[in-house]
Amino acid sequence: MASQSFTNQPLVGVVIPSYKESENIVKLLNEILKHVPTAQIAVVDDSPDMDTVGAVEKAALPSVTCIHRTSKGGRGSAVL
């Protein structure tokens, strides 16, 4: 990742556990980045399909990573 200089912008890491959120996830990501443009976001998806992952990948936001888990692990384990 390239070094970036932002004045008065906090460095923020966000973990978003998701389950079948393909219809909502891109709007949420854009809202977070609108308010905190320096945020690095990890979406941890437990959906049995790849719809949420596909929506995140299609959005092509450079500060967002999507992790697809093959078994439903729940919110708690998503953020640990």
Side-chain angles (χ1 to χ4, degrees):
M1 182 163 91
S3 176
Q4 298 175 346
S5 175
F6 296 95
T7 57
N8 300 324
Q9 289 293 323
L11 297 176
V12 176
V14 179
V15 178
I16 303 171
S18 70
Y19 184 79
K20 296 187 177 183
E21 291 294 336
S22 61
E23 294 182 19
N24 305 309
I25 194 69
V26 174
K27 181 178 179 180
L28 174 62
L29 296 171
N30 285 322
E31 283 296 312
I32 292 168
L33 292 171
K34 179 171 77 173
H35 295 286
V36 187
T38 58
Q40 296 293 308
I41 304 170
V43 176
V44 182
D45 183 56
D46 284 352
S47 302
D49 55 39
M50 294 291 287
D51 294 348
T52 302
V53 174
V56 172
E57 289 176 351
K58 185 176 178 182
L61 300 167
S63 60
V64 177
T65 301
C66 192
I67 301 164
H68 182 252
R69 302 193 303 177
T70 56
S71 63
K72 188 174 177 183
R75 286 178 275 180
S77 66
V79 297
L80 293 180

